[in-house]
Each structure stands twice: as structure tokens, then as C-alpha cells.
């Protein structure tokens, strides 16, 4: 039995195998995990057990990337950063993979009010420290929040789900006039308002909804702009952050309200540079 560290070539092979299975799973296609394992044994000469364990390591690293993971391969967090680098290489070589996760949009959610909206995670019920440190290290190293923010198809798909959900909920209450007034602000007026959706409470009060979407788990970090923070503070009675997660598989959500510092740790990630 080999006890040496996995090489970049071996890590690339196990990551490619993992994403082949994950792609089938997300597409609702059947696959046989044992067959993938046997092929990998032949390819890299590792044992069945070591490969199974490595698949669980890939799940952990993929979780840090804000990606869906394979059911049945529960994350094991004793992975090396070289495995995360292999995931980064695979994603760079297959930029269409994440885009395809949201094409077409989840039509079953577009006009539904059944989207599960649960309780937001808090700073007090964090996972074990060793898991948190690994996930944070991957998220910071590969700017996962930035990747989600730059994924325009993902962001637009999440906003569309929330837009239709807000209208559908008001219609269910018989408030058709308010439903017609719901606006997809970021699409109709462009970014800059400090929120994406203008919706309404049953009493007619405004709901200014900023939507943040990820394919990852509920604690995947996200970016929030200075303008969004300023609007959240200025309109704290009306402003809502609507966090969609696990979006590629079975979208779920939670809402948080200002002050955001009560729910998340805000970290400055960029600085403006000027001359003079």
C-alpha cells in the first residue's frame, strides 16, 4: 500500500473522476461509483480504499470552493492545498461547467412559493474549528466570494427566482396590484440601487431585496459592496439580504436584516488606489 503524498497528476486524475460523477448526479443520470474507482486504480495505481478516502477529501475542498458535492462522499477535511489547486485547474480548463449548471433556469422554482427559507446560520453555531479553518483557507486563496459575484449567469438566475417568488406570494394573498408593482431593479435600472428586487409587504411597505446566490453550502462567503452596505444601513427597516444556496441542486434560502455585523463578519478585501 502506497503511503506517499499524492502527486499533481494523481490529484488531477481524482478531481476529473469526481467531477465526472458529480456532473452525472446533477444531471439526474445514473452512474456507478465503483466503476470510476476501478478506472482510477488502473490509471494511478492507488488502492480502492485510498481513492474512496480521496473522493471525500475532494468533497471537502469543493465545499470550500462553494460548489455542490457528491452525495455519499461526506467531506473529510484532512486534505492538502495541492488538492484544492487541482480543483482550481479543473475549473479553469472547464469554464463552461459552472455556466451549464444554470441553463436552463430551474423552471420548477420560477413561479413557485415553495422555496424553503430557513433560519440564517449565526456566528455562534459554526462548524468545528479545523473544518472552518480549511474552508476559510480555500475560500480566501481562490476568492470564492469573488467567483460567485463574477458569475453573472448564477447571479441573474438567483435574482429571477426571487423576483418570481415575491410576485407569486403576493398573488396568493390576493394582492395582485402589489404583485404587478414588484420590480427587478437590477435588470430594469442596472446595478447601483443597493438592492436587486423591489417588492412589498402585505401592508404595502417596501421590501428592498439584495440577492446573493451560491452553489455552495449556506456558509459560503459572499461579497457585499460599499453601496449595498450604505443602503442597508440607511434603509434598515426595508432592506433584506436574501441568501440562496445549494442553488444547482435544490435551492434553499435564508434572509438576514441589518445590521449585517450581527450576522456575519465583514472583512475589507480591496482598496482604492489613487494618485496625488
Amino acid at each position: 500500500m502506497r503511503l506517499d503524498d499524492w502527486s499533481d497528476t494523481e490529484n488531477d486524475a481524482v478531481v476529473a473522476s469526481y467531477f465526472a460523477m458529480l456532473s452525472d448526479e446533477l444531471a439526474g443520470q445514473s452512474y456507478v461509483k465503483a466503476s470510476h474507482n476501478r478506472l482510477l486504480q488502473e490509471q494511478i495505481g492507488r488502492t480502492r480504499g485510498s481513492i474512496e478516502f480521496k473522493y471525500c477529501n475532494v468533497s471537502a475542498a469543493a465545499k470550500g470552493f462553494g460548489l455542490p458535492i457528491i452525495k455519499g462522499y461526506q467531506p473529510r477535511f484532512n486534505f492538502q492545498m495541492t488538492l484544492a489547486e487541482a480543483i482550481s485547474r479543473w475549473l479553469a480548463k472547464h469554464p463552461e461547467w459552472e455556466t451549464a449548471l444554470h441553463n436552463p433556469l430551474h423552471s420548477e422554482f420560477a413561479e413557485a412559493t415553495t422555496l424553503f427559507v430557513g433560519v440564517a446560520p449565526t456566528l455562534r453555531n459554526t462548524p468545528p474549528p479545523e473544518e472552518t479553518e480549511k474552508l476559510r483557507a480555500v475560500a480566501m486563496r481562490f476568492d470564492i466570494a469573488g467567483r460567485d459575484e463574477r458569475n453573472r449567469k448564477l447571479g441573474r438566475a438567483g435574482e429571477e427566482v426571487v423576483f418570481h417568488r415575491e410576485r407569486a406570494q403576493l398573488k396568493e394573498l390576493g394582492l395582485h396590484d402589489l404583485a404587478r408593482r414588484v420590480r427587478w431593479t437590477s435588470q430594469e435600472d442596472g446595478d447601483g440601487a443597493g438592492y436587486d428586487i423591489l417588492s412589498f409587504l402585505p401592508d404595502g411597505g417596501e421590501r428592498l431585496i439584495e440577492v446573493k446566490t451560491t452553489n455552495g453550502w449556506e456558509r459560503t462567503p459572499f461579497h457585499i459592496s460599499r453601496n449595498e452596505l450604505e443602503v442597508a444601513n440607511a434603509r434598515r427597516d426595508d432592506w433584506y439580504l436574501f441568501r440562496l444556496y445549494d442553488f444547482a441542486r435544490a435551492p434553499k434560502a435564508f434572509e438576514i436584516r441589518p445590521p449585517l455585523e450581527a450576522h456575519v463578519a465583514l472583512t475589507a478585501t480591496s482598496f482604492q488606489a489613487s494618485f496625488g
Side-chain angles (χ1 to χ4, degrees):
M1 181 176 66
R2 294 175 58 184
L3 298 177
D4 53 312
D5 291 340
W6 287 52
S7 67
D8 286 347
T9 299
E10 291 173 317
N11 281 331
D12 287 340
V14 74
V15 165
S17 176
Y18 185 97
F19 276 98
M21 289 187 286
L22 178 59
S23 297
D24 285 342
E25 186 169 295
L26 292 174
Q29 299 175 0
S30 61
Y31 65 96
V32 180
K33 292 177 180 177
S35 297
H36 283 269
N37 191 308
R38 283 194 297 271
L39 287 173
L40 207 52
Q41 290 176 54
E42 296 171 3
Q43 183 179 352
I44 65 176
R46 296 282 181 173
T47 66
R48 182 192 66 81
S50 64
I51 291 171
E52 287 291 292
F53 195 94
K54 201 70 170 182
Y55 282 144
C56 294
N57 286 153
V58 178
S59 283
K63 189 173 182 178
F65 271 86
L67 297 172
I69 63 176
I70 293 176
K71 295 178 180 177
Y73 285 131
Q74 292 303 307
R76 292 179 177 269
F77 292 89
N78 59 332
F79 62 88
Q80 301 297 317
M81 193 59 71
T82 52
L83 185 61
E85 291 168 354
I87 291 176
S88 181
R89 288 193 294 272
W90 191 93
L91 291 172
K93 290 178 181 177
H94 302 86
E96 76 289 346
W97 185 80
E98 285 188 274
T99 300
L101 295 178
H102 314 294
N103 187 24
L105 176 63
H106 296 277
S107 59
E108 66 270 26
F109 286 95
E111 292 288 351
T113 59
T114 55
L115 176 67
F116 175 74
V117 180
V119 177
T122 71
L123 297 176
R124 293 182 297 276
N125 60 357
T126 57
E130 63 274 12
E131 295 182 17
T132 302
E133 283 302 313
K134 280 283 187 171
L135 294 173
R136 183 182 294 118
V138 171
M140 292 182 64
R141 171 81 174 273
F142 299 98
D143 188 19
I144 304 312
R147 286 178 60 251
D148 277 350
E149 190 74 13
R150 291 187 294 270
N151 189 339
R152 300 305 301 166
K153 178 163 281 191
L154 172 65
R156 188 183 189 284
E159 290 173 19
E160 186 168 1
V161 166
V162 177
F163 171 72
H164 287 299
R165 178 181 181 272
E166 291 294 311
R167 295 187 66 183
Q169 286 194 318
L170 290 168
K171 288 177 183 178
E172 282 195 353
L173 295 173
L175 302 172
H176 296 277
D177 181 57
L178 284 178
R180 285 190 293 269
R181 292 170 56 194
V182 174
R183 300 184 73 246
W184 189 350
T185 308
S186 63
Q187 290 295 309
E188 297 180 41
D189 303 331
D191 294 329
Y195 55 90
D196 299 309
I197 311 292
L198 168 62
S199 186
F200 300 92
L201 298 168
D203 64 4
E206 290 186 339
R207 268 171 56 83
L208 311 180
I209 305 171
E210 175 63 30
V211 183
K212 300 293 184 182
T213 308
T214 184
N215 290 315
W217 68 314
E218 64 270 24
R219 288 182 175 274
T220 301
F222 57 87
H223 273 184
I224 186 162
S225 71
R226 181 191 298 272
N227 183 51
E228 289 160 0
L229 281 175
E230 289 176 351
V231 174
N233 290 327
R235 299 285 304 274
R236 62 175 53 197
D237 291 336
D238 307 319
W239 195 91
Y240 300 75
L241 191 145
F242 198 98
R243 180 57 160 163
L244 279 163
Y245 62 95
D246 200 13
F247 192 73
R249 191 190 297 278
K252 295 176 281 293
F254 58 83
E255 288 187 346
I256 58 179
R257 304 291 309 281
L260 295 184
E261 294 88 340
H263 307 277
V264 296
L266 297 176
T267 304
T269 58
S270 64
F271 297 90
Q272 177 176 296
S274 59
F275 296 95

